[in-house]
Amino acid sequence: MKLFSRAMSYVAKCVDVEYQIRDEKFLQEQGGAIIIGNHQSSLDTLALCHIWNAVKYAITVIIKKELFYALPFGPSAYLAGVIFINRNNSRSAYKELQEIKERMVNQKVKIWFFPEGTRNEEYTKLLPFKKGAFNLAVEAQVPIIPVVMSPYYFVNNKKCIFNKGHVVIQCLEPVPTAGLTRDDVPALIKICYDKMTVACKELSKEIFDTNL
């Protein structure tokens, strides 16, 4: 993953995208954790690689198993340590999540989820969060670290425009799960959702006021 991230950092330079991480101290803390981030486009991969280059502890990503067959991304992601989950088979997905939980606790790995479940180009409003990341965090009794990436204002898919740009990656204070149970998951989701929504709106305003 580190080698892959270094290679991708050159891609970011080639397309002239600059990344800035704020409050990365929350990601630098040792120990397993669940990281949740907003999902805008495939450009999120470049942002993740920037984070992997900056953080000294292991981080990996959970994505849907269908993407494993997307060449060349799938096999490359597998070799880089990405974890694929079969969301269409609940029994298989549960078994995979249990293995991930053990890895997160025993090896102190941080696991990245996109809780929206799909891409969302809306700058100030997140899609509803799925429960998987939060159930796993409660089961493992590890904190949840929300991370918000600013909008990709420099990309216009409809007009096929890709300009140089600046992306802010804002890490938010970890949300503890110690002592929580499955019954607390809905409230936990709301806390994280509200925190990330506020951050999305603030970053959107900052980015658009500065660059447009």
Side-chain angles (χ1 to χ4, degrees), residues 56-124:
K56 60 183 178 180
Y57 295 111
I59 298 176
T60 191
V61 182
I62 301 290
I63 60 176
K64 58 185 179 182
K65 198 163 191 174
E66 293 88 334
L67 291 177
F68 176 79
Y69 304 101
L71 301 175
F73 170 79
S76 300
Y78 174 78
L79 292 174
V82 169
I83 299 171
F84 295 86
I85 290 290
N86 186 355
R87 298 189 303 184
N88 297 321
N89 186 326
S90 58
R91 180 176 296 180
S92 174
Y94 178 79
K95 181 180 178 181
E96 290 164 341
L97 287 173
Q98 293 306 305
E99 293 174 355
I100 292 167
K101 182 179 74 172
E102 292 178 9
R103 180 177 174 185
M104 181 170 51
V105 173
N106 297 331
Q107 300 180 20
K108 303 184 185 304
V109 174
K110 292 179 173 60
I111 309 293
W112 185 296
F113 279 82
F114 291 111
E116 292 172 285
T118 189
R119 298 177 184 181
N120 175 24
E121 296 182 359
E122 173 58 51
Y123 298 139
T124 59

Side-chain angles (χ1 to χ4, degrees), residues 142-194:
V142 296
I144 297 174
I145 307 173
V147 175
V148 176
M149 291 174 277
S150 63
Y152 303 144
Y153 65 91
F154 47 89
V155 178
N156 188 318
N157 292 322
K158 293 181 180 179
K159 296 182 179 180
C160 297
I161 294 174
F162 194 120
N163 295 316
K164 67 178 181 179
H166 174 231
V167 178
V168 176
I169 303 169
Q170 177 66 62
C171 306
L172 305 180
E173 188 172 354
V175 178
T177 64
L180 299 185
T181 68
R182 285 289 187 100
D183 293 336
D184 300 306
V185 166
L188 180 62
I189 292 175
K190 186 177 187 308
I191 289 171
C192 295
Y193 186 92
D194 290 346

